[in-house]
Amino acid sequence: MKQLLLILTLFLYSAAVKAEWYEVTGYANILDSNVADARKAAVKDAITQALIFSGATVSSVQIVADGLLSQDQLKIKAHAEIQQATLISEEQNNNDYMVTLHLDIYSTKEQCTQQQFHKQVTVTQSQLIRPHQARLGQIFDIAKASSQRLYNTLSGRATAIKAIPYINSAINVRPFFSQKFDYDPALIDTLSNNSNSQYVLFSQITDIAQGKQLNSDYAFWQGDQYLRSFKVGFALYDALTRDQVWQNHYAVQGVWPFEKTTLIDVYSDKFWQSNYGSQIQGVFNKVAQDLNTAIGCMPTKGKILHIDGDRLAINLGKAHGIKAGQTLAIMQKNNFTTQQGMMLSNHRQTIDQLKVIQVNEQTAITTNLHIRPLSNIQLNDIVQVIIKEDDAFALN
């Protein structure tokens, strides 16, 4: 057995640790006969799975395995420490490479207290910017199919992200990627209200062009194989402020093994199990990690839906991790418009606080926590979950 030495950049908040071991298998496709790169990717996949499953999220991991994986880096922000990693087995099966690792992980305190609350994110249908590139394989539904795949990926991960699908309707997403900020904020409001989400995720597929041919024309007995690009950009907006809070672009290449005249079903296992499909899936795995890192520790916020004296209904519930007895702060919403016609959000913190007394799946009923009456609270004002830190000086 080969021993893997892992050096992690850790952000430790507690000295108390709990040791657990995980045996995980990582998978990767062999691209262009490069077994070494596939092995690295499989090790990355295994370590990432173990860290996320143990409660970590993705800072910096350096891996050395007998010099073969020297200086290979994987972005991980971990609140867990890998004490030892043992390579149990590795196997090559056609174009797939599998690595099984035994990992001893010492978990520390959770990354942040806000991770216990789910951030609902509306996943919209992606837009294919160059539709003519879809002629190869007639994969004109790649945008919708990819959005469905991303939604499935986000739903299957144990993170702070709770994905809500809005995939059946096509959207012109280009303005949301423009540097002129000329997007329609009302669309963000509509999508957020329909899905009860705090965040809205837009995406655009910018390139699916065919690349170089991998096999020789002289090998007439072989089917033609080409590299094919997949480039996609994402932009995440906070529906409460209408501001962009995260943006990233991803680019991969995969082997397109199908005949040029073959019609490909982009919803089929045949497509997603191909090298090209698996490369796209790798992008979505990375997006799930990056989204959780970007907003997992952000405050959980909602809106006031109804006011009845000292009782208020809010759009946060069990699906968000809300429980009876929790405390919420109120921020009054006071938007204003610039001379250029741009509406800016302004939230002013108040001294009012609410206590949750009844929780439904997507809503909750709260009551005024103080004797004094609520001060000029309006519909759509913002509520934010208050996390009470442990009092180190409290007397037992």
Side-chain angles (χ1 to χ4, degrees):
M1 294 185 183
K2 302 176 182 177
Q3 299 296 316
L4 300 180
L5 172 64
L6 296 100
I7 306 169
L8 294 93
T9 300
L10 301 175
F11 298 86
L12 302 180
Y13 289 89
S14 172
V17 295
K18 178 182 178 182
E20 296 183 11
W21 69 269
Y22 300 84
E23 185 170 306
V24 290
T25 301
Y27 299 88
N29 290 113
I30 302 173
L31 181 61
D32 202 13
S33 301
N34 194 328
V35 177
D37 283 351
R39 184 172 186 269
K40 294 178 184 180
V43 171
K44 284 183 179 182
D45 183 53
I47 294 174
T48 303
Q49 288 185 60
L51 286 173
I52 292 179
F53 190 76
S54 68
T57 58
V58 180
S59 176
S60 172
V61 177
Q62 296 178 354
I63 307 169
V64 180
D66 293 347
L68 295 179
L69 301 182
S70 179
Q71 299 304 315
D72 183 41
Q73 293 189 353
L74 169 65
K75 292 295 180 182
I76 302 239
K77 181 187 283 184
H79 284 264
E81 181 178 359
I82 300 179
Q83 292 292 327
Q84 180 176 343
T86 304
L87 181 63
I88 302 297
S89 65
E90 52 186 315
E91 178 184 352
Q92 180 179 340
N93 184 10
N94 296 325
N95 285 328
D96 296 322
Y97 203 92
M98 293 164 284
V99 171
T100 300
L101 302 178
H102 175 113
L103 300 167
D104 292 322
I105 299 178
Y106 286 74
S107 299
T108 62
K109 192 175 180 180
E110 291 183 1
Q111 179 190 354
C112 66
T113 51
Q114 286 289 349
Q115 282 277 12
Q116 63 186 293
F117 299 101
H118 293 141
K119 280 71 177 175
Q120 293 199 165
V121 178
T122 298
V123 179
T124 62
Q125 184 181 138
S126 187
Q127 183 176 5
L128 182 60
I129 300 302
R130 298 180 176 87
H132 66 276
Q133 293 180 341
R135 291 173 184 166
L136 177 61
Q138 300 293 298
I139 58 171
F140 293 99
D141 278 348
I142 185 65
K144 185 176 180 180
S146 294
S147 300
Q148 180 68 56
R149 193 77 177 188
L150 174 62
Y151 164 72
N152 293 340
T153 301
L154 293 172
S155 299
R157 295 296 181 104
T159 66
I161 306 300
K162 182 177 176 61
I164 308 296
Y166 195 87
I167 297 170
N168 292 329
S169 300
I171 296 175
N172 179 22
V173 304
R174 287 195 178 190
F176 294 95
F177 292 86
S178 171
Q179 299 300 317
K180 297 180 180 179
F181 301 101
D182 54 356
Y183 57 85
D184 181 10
L187 178 58
I188 298 178
D189 292 342
T190 300
L191 294 170
S192 171
N193 292 334
N194 289 345
S195 61
N196 195 29
S197 297
Q198 183 177 346
Y199 299 95
V200 178
L201 180 66
F202 299 99
S203 63
Q204 59 178 3
I205 300 173
T206 57
D207 184 23
I208 54 170
Q210 173 187 312
K212 68 176 182 178
Q213 184 175 346
L214 295 178
N215 53 345
S216 172
D217 289 332
Y218 295 103
F220 57 87
W221 61 89
Q222 297 178 348
D224 293 340
Q225 288 191 336
Y226 297 86
L227 283 178
R228 191 169 191 173
S229 296
F230 184 82
K231 298 177 182 178
V232 59
F234 292 91
L236 184 72
Y237 284 79
D238 186 336
L240 299 179
T241 64
R242 301 171 174 176
D243 291 334
Q244 186 184 108
V245 294
W246 176 79
Q247 183 174 5
N248 210 345
H249 188 268
Y250 303 82
V252 293
Q253 284 186 316
V255 177
W256 184 260
F258 310 109
E259 296 288 341
K260 285 188 173 182
T261 56
T262 303
L263 303 183
I264 303 303
D265 180 3
V266 288
Y267 297 98
S268 67
D269 290 340
K270 180 180 180 181
F271 173 79
W272 289 104
Q273 290 174 3
S274 70
N275 182 271
Y276 185 67
S278 65
Q279 293 298 318
I280 299 175
Q281 180 60 56
V283 169
F284 295 156
N285 293 342
K286 187 66 169 62
V287 171
Q289 299 165 15
D290 291 347
L291 272 178
N292 188 64
T293 302
I295 65 174
C297 290
M298 286 188 176
T300 301
K301 297 179 181 179
K303 294 187 294 185
I304 296 175
L305 302 177
H306 179 75
I307 302 174
D308 182 11
D310 277 354
R311 291 200 173 195
L312 293 82
I314 63 173
N315 69 336
L316 298 176
K318 293 180 182 177
H320 304 83
I322 299 298
K323 298 178 181 178
Q326 287 178 326
T327 305
L328 308 174
I330 299 181
M331 290 178 287
Q332 290 181 332
K333 194 172 182 179
N334 183 23
N335 298 338
F336 57 90
T337 304
T338 66
Q339 291 182 347
Q340 292 74 27
M342 180 183 297
M343 180 176 290
L344 299 179
S345 296
N346 179 38
H347 298 156
R348 182 175 60 85
Q349 182 76 49
T350 70
I351 61 174
D352 297 303
Q353 292 185 348
L354 304 172
K355 181 180 179 180
V356 178
I357 59 174
Q358 178 183 323
V359 185
N360 304 312
E361 188 63 23
Q362 292 285 340
T363 61
I365 305 299
T366 66
T367 186
N368 185 6
L369 192 60
H370 303 293
I371 299 176
R372 63 177 179 274
L374 298 173
S375 56
N376 195 29
I377 302 304
Q378 305 292 325
L379 294 180
N380 293 321
D381 279 347
I382 307 302
V383 293
Q384 177 176 319
V385 179
I386 296 177
I387 305 296
K388 294 184 177 180
E389 301 292 341
D390 294 336
D391 189 352
F393 299 97
L395 299 177
N396 294 327

